[in-house]
Amino acid sequence: MIGLGLSRTPPPPYYAVIFTSQRTPGDAGYGEAADRMAELAAKQPGYLGVESVRDASGLGITVSYWKDEASIKAWKLNLEHTAIREQGRKQWYEAFEVRIAKVERAYNFKAL
Amino acid sequence: MIGLGLSRTPPPPYYAVIFTSQRTPGDAGYGEAADRMAELAAKQPGYLGVESVRDASGLGITVSYWKDEASIKAWKLNLEHTAIREQGRKQWYEAFEVRIAKVERAYNFKAL
C-alpha cells in the first residue's frame, strides 16, 4: 500500500479488471459475499491487488490487478465465484460494466 | 449511461486512465477544480467518458476513457490541467496512483 486503499502493483505490463457497478438498495447478503470474494480472489495465482470504492448512492468502482489474462480467466471460472456472480445479476446489481485492460504505464505520488 | 454513473463506451479497443487517490482532509478548492477539470476533459478530442467514485474516507477512483494514447497525452499537456495537477500534489492528495491501460474486452449488465 502506498496509501490507505491504494495497491502497490509491480511495474507494467499487467492486467486490470475495471468493475463499475450500481448496487440495488439494501444489503441482502452482499457485504458478506463481497468480503468472501475479496478473500478468495487474493488467493488466486496471478493476483496482484485490488482497489475498491463505493459511495453512499451505491455507485462503486472495483479494480483488481492480475499478472496476465490467464489469471483473470482462471478466477472467472472459479466455481464459487461463478455462483456468486449469478446472485449478483439476480439481486445485488442494477447495472454493471466490466472492462479488461492491459496496464501499459503507471506512476504514483505520495505526499511527504 | 447504462445506469447512473456508468459510461457507455464504444466497443474496445480504447484506453482507460485509472486514477486512484486518497484526498487530504477538507475541500480547499478541490470540488470546484474537479468540476472544472471534468468539464474541460469532456471537451477534449478522443474523450469517451468518465466514471468516478469517492467514499467518505476520501478514497477515490476515477476512470476516464479515451480513444487512443494521443488523446491522453494531449489532455495531459493541456495548460490548465497541468497547473491544476501541481496544486493536487501540493494540497489535495495524500497519495495517488495513475495507470494507463488499453481496454481489450468489455461486457455489461442491466437489470430489467
Side-chain angles (χ1 to χ4, degrees), chain A residues 5 18 51-53 61-63 65, chain B residues 18-21 51-55 59-63:
Chain A
I18 306 164
E51 294 167 343
S52 191
V53 182
I61 302 177
T62 296
V63 191
Y65 300 102
Chain B
I18 306 164
F19 179 74
T20 307
S21 62
E51 293 167 343
S52 191
V53 182
R54 190 172 302 280
D55 69 18
L59 180 67
I61 301 177
T62 296
V63 191

Side-chain angles (χ1 to χ4, degrees), chain A residues 2 4 7 9 14-15 20 51 65 89 94-102 104-109 111, chain B residues 2 7 9 14-15 20 51 65 89 94-102 104-109 111:
Chain A
I2 57 172
L4 192 69
S7 280
T9 36
Y14 53 88
Y15 274 79
T20 307
E51 294 167 343
Y65 300 102
R89 287 171 190 263
E94 280 179 14
F96 62 72
E97 178 94 25
V98 181
R99 295 174 177 97
I100 293 93
K102 184 180 188 177
E104 298 179 347
R105 292 182 290 127
Y107 57 93
N108 60 50
F109 164 77
Chain B
I2 56 172
S7 280
T9 36
Y14 54 87
Y15 274 80
T20 307
E51 293 167 343
Y65 300 101
R89 288 170 190 263
E94 281 178 13
F96 63 73
E97 178 94 24
V98 181
R99 296 175 177 96
I100 294 94
K102 184 179 187 178
E104 298 180 346
R105 292 182 289 129
Y107 57 94
N108 60 50
F109 164 79

